[in-house]
Amino acid sequence: MNTRVLSNGTEIPVLGLGVWQVDDGVETEQSVTWALETGYRLIDTAQAYGNEVSVGKAIRESGIPREEIFLTTKFYPGGKDARVEAEKSLERLGTEYLDLYLIHWPQGGPTWAWPGMEAAVEAGLTKGIGISNFSATELQELGKIAQIQPAVNQIQFSPFEYRKALVEACEEANVVAQAYSPLGTGRHLGDPVVARIAEATGKTPAQVLIRWAIQKGLSVIPKSTHQNRIVENFDVFDFELDDAAVADLDGLDKTHGTADALSQSGKWWS
Ligand SMILES: NC(=O)c1ccc[n+]([C@@H]2O[C@H](COP(=O)([O-])OP(=O)(O)OC[C@H]3O[C@@H](n4cnc5c(N)ncnc54)[C@H](OP(=O)(O)O)[C@@H]3O)[C@@H](O)[C@H]2O)c1
């Protein structure tokens, strides 16, 4: 599996499975099991998703050594203390450590939760810490107070939400950007430009969108609860989008290359 090296020295796979809006229980267990069988080694969950128990069960029952799997969860920023909440996540996941623990979004400002995140590292609860839905400005504010710099910023990213300036700010800060909703939560799969490129490359729309994000240098975490799609989404390492296809996809951006993680109204771009 291709990986990116994080600022804490660990390696994050460039492709993983996301499990937002996947029910705790059989649905999550099956999705994670199928993904691990397919070769995925990165699983992305969150305290807010309510499915950490099933993610942990599927990982344990896979028989794959824990250290071969990169496990991310996210601090729900409605909570008070990120370190305490990390302990509860570990209990639910039934594992000894996290590979990555992210602040899910900058509710209450970009800095207040960070000391608790750093305390989670110091207590050995997680190897890495990072952020999600932070703008370039919020990232810079955090950088000023951080003893441990964030390793990852997980952001909404696809050709339609191509936050070019935000990704560049992450690169400058040595923060790996990770693409969530790479398929637009399914909305971008029917786009005619994506369909045309898919046909020309002999791949599917989902594969084109995932490949585009990988070629932009991001780690990408598509979600599916269907085994055939989980397999399909992983089959993106045998082709490359050429410059013309990349340029056409870049042209779909609706964010004007923003450095923001959210639109000004606080709502998602689309
Ligand atoms: N940090 C954050 O604030 C945040 C926010 C959103 C998402 N995320 C993370 O990013 C992950 C992915 O984002 P997402 O869940 O918004 O959606 P996504 O990966 O962009 O798209 C998932 C949707 O596309 C469908 N799909 C997946 N593969 C497909 C394929 N090959 N062909 C046809 N349809 C396909 C899925 O349906 P089925 O499941 O029915 O197959 C689902 O409806 C999340 O699960 C979560 O881990 C993080």
Tab-separated table of all heavy atoms in Angstrom, residues 20-21 156 158 160-161 163 180-192 194 205 209 254 268-270:
chain	number	residue	atom	x	y	z
A	20	TRP	N	-18.591	6.988	8.100
A	20	TRP	CA	-19.654	7.930	8.492
A	20	TRP	C	-20.992	7.426	7.951
A	20	TRP	O	-21.059	6.945	6.812
A	20	TRP	CB	-19.351	9.317	7.904
A	20	TRP	CG	-20.378	10.360	8.184
A	20	TRP	CD1	-21.052	10.561	9.362
A	20	TRP	CD2	-20.865	11.351	7.274
A	20	TRP	NE1	-21.902	11.635	9.232
A	20	TRP	CE2	-21.818	12.138	7.971
A	20	TRP	CE3	-20.577	11.667	5.942
A	20	TRP	CZ2	-22.489	13.212	7.376
A	20	TRP	CZ3	-21.239	12.726	5.349
A	20	TRP	CH2	-22.184	13.487	6.067
A	21	GLN	N	-22.040	7.547	8.752
A	21	GLN	CA	-23.394	7.138	8.361
A	21	GLN	C	-23.486	5.642	8.083
A	21	GLN	O	-24.268	5.200	7.246
A	21	GLN	CB	-23.861	7.929	7.133
A	21	GLN	CG	-24.012	9.414	7.422
A	21	GLN	CD	-24.508	10.210	6.231
A	21	GLN	OE1	-23.990	10.096	5.115
A	21	GLN	NE2	-25.511	11.029	6.444
A	156	GLN	N	-12.989	18.333	3.418
A	156	GLN	CA	-13.870	17.985	2.299
A	156	GLN	C	-13.131	18.339	1.005
A	156	GLN	O	-12.778	19.503	0.796
A	156	GLN	CB	-15.154	18.801	2.411
A	156	GLN	CG	-16.181	18.456	1.362
A	156	GLN	CD	-17.241	19.533	1.246
A	156	GLN	OE1	-16.935	20.714	1.295
A	156	GLN	NE2	-18.483	19.115	1.101
A	158	SER	N	-12.702	17.255	-3.283
A	158	SER	CA	-13.024	16.531	-4.517
A	158	SER	C	-12.821	17.537	-5.636
A	158	SER	O	-12.586	18.719	-5.360
A	158	SER	CB	-14.492	16.064	-4.483
A	158	SER	OG	-15.348	17.149	-4.821
A	160	PHE	N	-14.921	19.039	-7.185
A	160	PHE	CA	-15.943	20.069	-6.993
A	160	PHE	C	-15.668	20.916	-5.749
A	160	PHE	O	-16.184	22.007	-5.603
A	160	PHE	CB	-17.333	19.425	-6.876
A	160	PHE	CG	-17.687	18.610	-8.079
A	160	PHE	CD1	-17.223	17.298	-8.217
A	160	PHE	CD2	-18.463	19.151	-9.082
A	160	PHE	CE1	-17.534	16.548	-9.330
A	160	PHE	CE2	-18.777	18.397	-10.205
A	160	PHE	CZ	-18.298	17.098	-10.339
A	161	GLU	N	-14.883	20.374	-4.839
A	161	GLU	CA	-14.486	21.087	-3.614
A	161	GLU	C	-12.970	21.029	-3.526
A	161	GLU	O	-12.395	20.422	-2.634
A	161	GLU	CB	-15.119	20.446	-2.375
A	161	GLU	CG	-16.623	20.592	-2.294
A	161	GLU	CD	-17.379	19.396	-2.824
A	161	GLU	OE1	-16.743	18.370	-3.153
A	161	GLU	OE2	-18.618	19.481	-2.924
A	163	ARG	N	-10.013	22.621	-2.699
A	163	ARG	CA	-9.571	23.723	-1.828
A	163	ARG	C	-8.064	23.909	-2.004
A	163	ARG	O	-7.283	23.621	-1.099
A	163	ARG	CB	-9.917	23.398	-0.372
A	163	ARG	CG	-11.375	23.072	-0.194
A	163	ARG	CD	-11.704	22.511	1.176
A	163	ARG	NE	-13.099	22.090	1.162
A	163	ARG	CZ	-14.120	22.935	1.271
A	163	ARG	NH1	-13.903	24.212	1.460
A	163	ARG	NH2	-15.351	22.488	1.200
A	180	TYR	N	-11.888	13.931	2.649
A	180	TYR	CA	-13.139	13.226	2.971
A	180	TYR	C	-14.209	13.593	1.944
A	180	TYR	O	-14.061	14.560	1.198
A	180	TYR	CB	-13.580	13.474	4.415
A	180	TYR	CG	-14.239	14.784	4.778
A	180	TYR	CD1	-15.498	15.150	4.300
A	180	TYR	CD2	-13.624	15.641	5.671
A	180	TYR	CE1	-16.110	16.330	4.674
A	180	TYR	CE2	-14.224	16.835	6.056
A	180	TYR	CZ	-15.478	17.170	5.558
A	180	TYR	OH	-16.078	18.342	5.937
A	181	SER	N	-15.246	12.782	1.900
A	181	SER	CA	-16.299	12.909	0.874
A	181	SER	C	-15.703	13.049	-0.524
A	181	SER	O	-16.093	13.942	-1.289
A	181	SER	CB	-17.234	14.088	1.187
A	181	SER	OG	-17.828	13.949	2.455
A	182	PRO	N	-14.775	12.170	-0.904
A	182	PRO	CA	-14.142	12.285	-2.226
A	182	PRO	C	-15.129	12.045	-3.368
A	182	PRO	O	-14.867	12.457	-4.492
A	182	PRO	CB	-13.056	11.200	-2.199
A	182	PRO	CG	-13.555	10.197	-1.216
A	182	PRO	CD	-14.263	11.003	-0.155
A	183	LEU	N	-16.255	11.391	-3.042
A	183	LEU	CA	-17.285	11.149	-4.066
A	183	LEU	C	-18.452	12.121	-3.884
A	183	LEU	O	-19.516	11.943	-4.486
A	183	LEU	CB	-17.790	9.696	-3.968
A	183	LEU	CG	-16.706	8.609	-3.828
A	183	LEU	CD1	-17.342	7.233	-3.662
A	183	LEU	CD2	-15.754	8.633	-5.022
A	184	GLY	N	-18.253	13.135	-3.031
A	184	GLY	CA	-19.344	14.073	-2.743
A	184	GLY	C	-20.493	13.383	-2.030
A	184	GLY	O	-21.654	13.719	-2.265
A	185	THR	N	-20.154	12.437	-1.153
A	185	THR	CA	-21.163	11.581	-0.495
A	185	THR	C	-22.088	10.976	-1.568
A	185	THR	O	-23.290	10.814	-1.361
A	185	THR	CB	-21.950	12.355	0.596
A	185	THR	OG1	-21.025	13.193	1.338
A	185	THR	CG2	-22.610	11.435	1.607
A	186	GLY	N	-21.506	10.654	-2.701
A	186	GLY	CA	-22.234	10.015	-3.807
A	186	GLY	C	-22.727	10.986	-4.868
A	186	GLY	O	-23.003	10.589	-5.996
A	187	ARG	N	-22.795	12.276	-4.532
A	187	ARG	CA	-23.413	13.250	-5.452
A	187	ARG	C	-22.622	13.464	-6.735
A	187	ARG	O	-23.188	13.825	-7.752
A	187	ARG	CB	-23.573	14.616	-4.767
A	187	ARG	CG	-24.605	14.679	-3.690
A	187	ARG	CD	-24.790	16.114	-3.202
A	187	ARG	NE	-23.531	16.771	-2.881
A	187	ARG	CZ	-22.885	16.676	-1.721
A	187	ARG	NH1	-23.408	15.934	-0.756
A	187	ARG	NH2	-21.747	17.311	-1.511
A	188	HIS	N	-21.299	13.278	-6.687
A	188	HIS	CA	-20.472	13.617	-7.856
A	188	HIS	C	-20.353	12.463	-8.861
A	188	HIS	O	-19.781	12.631	-9.933
A	188	HIS	CB	-19.065	14.013	-7.416
A	188	HIS	CG	-19.033	15.170	-6.455
A	188	HIS	ND1	-20.000	16.148	-6.445
A	188	HIS	CD2	-18.154	15.503	-5.477
A	188	HIS	CE1	-19.720	17.031	-5.499
A	188	HIS	NE2	-18.613	16.663	-4.892
A	189	LEU	N	-20.912	11.300	-8.498
A	189	LEU	CA	-20.697	10.114	-9.334
A	189	LEU	C	-21.421	10.212	-10.671
A	189	LEU	O	-21.026	9.580	-11.636
A	189	LEU	CB	-21.140	8.857	-8.566
A	189	LEU	CG	-20.255	8.533	-7.361
A	189	LEU	CD1	-20.921	7.513	-6.441
A	189	LEU	CD2	-18.892	8.010	-7.829
A	190	GLY	N	-22.481	11.022	-10.730
A	190	GLY	CA	-23.250	11.121	-11.973
A	190	GLY	C	-22.845	12.296	-12.848
A	190	GLY	O	-23.491	12.554	-13.871
A	191	ASP	N	-21.798	12.993	-12.472
A	191	ASP	CA	-21.398	14.172	-13.252
A	191	ASP	C	-20.928	13.772	-14.656
A	191	ASP	O	-20.151	12.819	-14.806
A	191	ASP	CB	-20.267	14.910	-12.523
A	191	ASP	CG	-19.824	16.122	-13.313
A	191	ASP	OD1	-20.508	17.158	-13.208
A	191	ASP	OD2	-18.825	16.020	-14.058
A	192	PRO	N	-21.356	14.505	-15.702
A	192	PRO	CA	-20.994	14.113	-17.071
A	192	PRO	C	-19.495	14.194	-17.369
A	192	PRO	O	-18.987	13.370	-18.139
A	192	PRO	CB	-21.775	15.104	-17.949
A	192	PRO	CG	-22.376	16.113	-17.048
A	192	PRO	CD	-22.357	15.582	-15.652
A	194	VAL	N	-17.027	13.715	-15.226
A	194	VAL	CA	-16.444	12.549	-14.553
A	194	VAL	C	-16.764	11.282	-15.352
A	194	VAL	O	-15.887	10.429	-15.572
A	194	VAL	CB	-16.970	12.429	-13.097
A	194	VAL	CG1	-16.426	11.183	-12.421
A	194	VAL	CG2	-16.610	13.692	-12.292
A	205	PRO	N	-16.627	6.069	-12.480
A	205	PRO	CA	-16.586	7.428	-11.916
A	205	PRO	C	-15.966	7.467	-10.512
A	205	PRO	O	-15.175	8.359	-10.212
A	205	PRO	CB	-18.067	7.831	-11.902
A	205	PRO	CG	-18.651	7.084	-13.058
A	205	PRO	CD	-17.953	5.749	-13.051
A	209	LEU	N	-12.596	9.699	-9.413
A	209	LEU	CA	-12.587	10.714	-8.348
A	209	LEU	C	-11.555	10.379	-7.271
A	209	LEU	O	-10.850	11.261	-6.764
A	209	LEU	CB	-13.986	10.838	-7.736
A	209	LEU	CG	-15.033	11.464	-8.665
A	209	LEU	CD1	-16.446	11.235	-8.125
A	209	LEU	CD2	-14.771	12.951	-8.843
A	254	LYS	N	-15.900	24.375	-7.355
A	254	LYS	CA	-16.885	25.421	-7.030
A	254	LYS	C	-16.410	26.299	-5.880
A	254	LYS	O	-17.136	27.197	-5.458
A	254	LYS	CB	-18.209	24.774	-6.624
A	254	LYS	CG	-18.934	24.075	-7.747
A	254	LYS	CD	-20.277	23.577	-7.229
A	254	LYS	CE	-20.949	22.653	-8.210
A	254	LYS	NZ	-21.828	21.695	-7.525
A	268	TRP	N	-21.787	23.766	4.005
A	268	TRP	CA	-20.941	23.104	3.025
A	268	TRP	C	-21.133	23.785	1.682
A	268	TRP	O	-22.135	24.402	1.409
A	268	TRP	CB	-21.266	21.615	2.935
A	268	TRP	CG	-21.178	20.976	4.279
A	268	TRP	CD1	-22.211	20.511	5.040
A	268	TRP	CD2	-19.999	20.779	5.051
A	268	TRP	NE1	-21.740	20.042	6.224
A	268	TRP	CE2	-20.399	20.182	6.262
A	268	TRP	CE3	-18.646	21.039	4.841
A	268	TRP	CZ2	-19.495	19.833	7.263
A	268	TRP	CZ3	-17.747	20.701	5.836
A	268	TRP	CH2	-18.164	20.111	7.023
A	269	TRP	N	-20.141	23.656	0.827
A	269	TRP	CA	-20.182	24.328	-0.474
A	269	TRP	C	-21.319	23.840	-1.333
A	269	TRP	O	-21.918	24.582	-2.078
A	269	TRP	CB	-18.861	24.140	-1.229
A	269	TRP	CG	-17.789	24.986	-0.663
A	269	TRP	CD1	-16.833	24.604	0.239
A	269	TRP	CD2	-17.562	26.367	-0.908
A	269	TRP	NE1	-16.036	25.667	0.549
A	269	TRP	CE2	-16.455	26.754	-0.147
A	269	TRP	CE3	-18.188	27.317	-1.710
A	269	TRP	CZ2	-15.953	28.048	-0.154
A	269	TRP	CZ3	-17.696	28.603	-1.722
A	269	TRP	CH2	-16.589	28.963	-0.940
A	270	SER	N	-21.601	22.557	-1.299
A	270	SER	CA	-22.710	22.046	-2.116
A	270	SER	C	-23.269	20.796	-1.479
A	270	SER	O	-22.712	20.275	-0.562
A	270	SER	CB	-22.204	21.708	-3.512
A	270	SER	OG	-21.163	20.763	-3.420
